Structure formats: C-alpha cells, structure tokens
Amino acid sequence: MRQTRLDTDRIRAARQVIDPAFLDTPLYRCEALEPGLGCAVSIKLETANPVRSFKGRGTELVASRLAEDGPRAVVCASAGNLGQALAWSARGRGLDVTVVASRFATEAKLDRVRALGARLELVDGDHETARERAAALARHDGIRLLEDSLDLETCEGAATIGLELVDRPAAVPPYDAVLVALGGGAMATGVGHVLKALAPGVEVICVQPQGAPALTLSWRARQVVTTDATETIADGVAGRFPIPSVLDDLLLVADDAVLVREPSIIAGMRLLLHHAGLVVEPSAALGIAAILEDRARFAGRHVVTIVCGSNVDMGSYHRWIGAPPQRGAATLLRSDRGGRAER
C-alpha cells in the first residue's frame, strides 16, 4: 500500500528532474474537431516525445532516484508503454532494466522495448501474470520493483501534465472540463490532484472502455470492484484489479468516471486522424469517445482531452479506422484472466 499522498510541492519539484523532452507538451485549440463534436476542444498532446506517451514523466523520476540511491537495477511489468519509458530513462543513467510482458502484447511496443536496451521477458498469459513474474524477480534478485500507479513517482510525474494545464498558453481560452483516460490511475490521480488544488472549478472526468470497467465501477461503488475479463482494443487501460490506495486518491479528485463503447473509441481515433492529423492508440481516443457518446453534456463547453499515447500496431490501426489493411493483429484485446491496467 502507498504510504504517502500526492504533494503539489513535490510535483513542482519534479519538473526540475524530468528531461525537458517530456515537458511543456503542446496544448492547443483544435477547431477542426469541433463541428463533429459540438463543443470547443483543446488537445494536450503527450505523444511528441521519445517514447510517444506520457509515461516518461514518471520513469524519469524513478530512474533519477535509483541513479542516486540505488539499487541500480529495476524490473516492471508492462503492456509496452511503461517498459519503453523506463528503458529510455534508465539507459543514460547506467541502470539495468528488465521488462516483463505478455507475449500477446502489441508487437510494436515490445520491439521498442528491445531497441531501447531493456531485457525483455515474455510470459504466457496476461498483464497480471507478467506482474506476478516481475514481483518474483524483484524478490529473488533484490532489485527495485516498479509498479505503475502504485509507486508515487509514476503519479507525480504524470501530475506535471496538470501543472501545464493550469499554466495554459494565452492562445488557449479558459476550459471547464478535462477528459483523462483511466487505466491504472496514475494520470487520472496525478492530473486530478493538481487541478483540484490549483483549478478547482475544472471538472475532472475519467474515461474507461466498457470492456475494461474495473476502476470506474470501483469509483462508483467507492470500494474495489474486480471483473472476470477484459475485452477492448484499448490495451493500455485493460485491467481487472484496481489498486486500493489509487482508488482512495481517485475518489478525492475525480468528479465523474464514464464508460465508452468500442465503436466510439474507433470513431474517436478516426476523428483525430482526419481532423487533427494524429495517429493515436485507442486509449488516447477515450476522451473524444466520451464526447461522442454524450454530446448534450458537453454542448457549448470548452473541453481539454489528453492524447496520452501513439504506440499502436499499424496493421490493427488501419483495420480499425477502415483504411487499407496492413499486416495486423486481432481487433480486440481479450483477457480472460485479466490484470492491472498498465500503459
């Protein structure tokens, strides 16, 4: 269990540690999206960095502290994005990284983990199987186990996105809601903490697929709810086992948590491609999907959506959005045994 809570002063200090490549990412009004959505929309783009997701903000904190205090080896379970980010942050600091992943994870993400120099161990099963194996390796080898969303660095690194949302550019008009993809909860709790502390009038709305609803159901019930399976193309948020301390934080900062259907996620990806020029992974389109499913709620408002990742198998991507198919994978990521969501 987490022993401390998120802290705004520590989050501000984190900006001095995180590589500038991950900071001050674009925030801009995307008027081309607005006719199809019926509201003003701004994009916070977290894909324009070396690992094409927001995860590097957190792994920079982890790697910098390990480089100072040790141990100099770390293991994590990852569906791909966390592993890439940890490998990138560690390689310039002389740290050894092992990433444990399901052999059914997106191949493009696994290839990038290898390319960044991490040791990659594949397991049969899902992310929960990978998490158990990573924990066993940490115990056996006496190395650091990084658990996304549970370890505070991952949340406070992601929370720096919130600081940038509060200090919006002058060209971006005031907004009244932020849509955040909800998986393990690092980004939702981190960004939510900052907004509630510094911009309490902004509504924090978390978005999760109907096929992977565990943390949303937990938020609604105010207690941990697990599910028997996940079935969604949004592999970055596909988990069954919410972390109790993360749920505690989420209950403090989220104004709402909504579920969206797979066709809406695909429609959101298509809109982001055709009207914003962005190729995104399914998890990054959850905010657009939420607007599509409840236009009346957002009509006349200004909404920010965080586009959180663009690591996607292009064969599957073309199949989903209807472009000519390339070499690809199945259209749905299915897990009957499930696991904690990890991007």
Side-chain angles (χ1 to χ4, degrees), residues 114-134:
R114 295 185 185 99
L116 288 167
R119 174 176 175 263
L120 181 63
E121 180 173 326
L122 300 179
V123 297
D124 293 319
D126 55 19
H127 182 67
E128 178 65 12
T129 306
R131 188 194 66 81
E132 292 171 355
R133 175 58 179 163

Side-chain angles (χ1 to χ4, degrees), residues 246-322:
V246 175
L247 174 60
D248 291 342
D249 288 344
L250 192 68
L251 289 169
L252 295 175
V253 301
D255 295 298
D256 200 2
V258 301
L259 299 173
V260 295
R261 298 174 294 113
E262 299 295 296
S264 299
I265 299 172
I266 294 170
M269 295 171 69
R270 191 177 291 121
L271 282 171
L272 286 166
L273 174 64
H274 293 308
H275 298 289
L278 299 175
V279 175
V280 304
E281 60 188 82
S283 301
L286 289 173
I288 301 297
I291 301 172
L292 288 170
E293 291 204 358
D294 197 351
R295 293 172 188 267
R297 175 177 185 171
F298 298 103
R301 303 177 67 183
H302 181 196
V303 179
V304 173
T305 185
I306 302 174
V307 174
C308 54
S310 63
N311 291 298
V312 62
D313 175 83
M314 292 307 297
S316 297
Y317 178 85
H318 286 295
R319 187 175 303 177
W320 293 328
I321 66 169

Side-chain angles (χ1 to χ4, degrees), residues 150-297:
L150 176 61
D151 288 7
L152 207 61
E153 298 101 324
T154 62
C155 301
E156 293 190 337
T160 59
I161 298 171
L163 295 177
E164 294 167 20
L165 289 172
V166 171
D167 297 330
R168 59 181 173 81
V172 177
Y175 54 86
D176 59 6
V178 173
L179 294 161
V180 190
L182 182 61
M187 183 166 61
T189 57
V191 171
H193 172 86
V194 171
L195 291 176
K196 289 307 164 191
L198 303 179
V202 174
E203 187 178 19
V204 177
I205 304 171
C206 303
V207 190
Q208 210 166 27
Q210 285 187 353
L215 193 48
T216 294
L217 297 180
S218 300
W219 181 86
R220 293 175 179 177
R222 303 189 69 82
Q223 62 183 11
V224 170
V225 175
T226 62
T227 57
D228 293 332
T230 63
E231 189 169 0
T232 179
I233 62 172
D235 61 333
V237 294
R240 295 200 300 118
F241 297 106
I243 301 169
S245 55
V246 175
L247 174 60
D248 291 342
D249 288 344
L250 192 68
L251 289 169
L252 295 175
V253 301
D255 295 298
D256 200 2
V258 301
L259 299 173
V260 295
R261 298 174 294 113
E262 299 295 296
S264 299
I265 299 172
I266 294 170
M269 295 171 69
R270 191 177 291 121
L271 282 171
L272 286 166
L273 174 64
H274 293 308
H275 298 289
L278 299 175
V279 175
V280 304
E281 60 188 82
S283 301
L286 289 173
I288 301 297
I291 301 172
L292 288 170
E293 291 204 358
D294 197 351
R295 293 172 188 267
R297 175 177 185 171

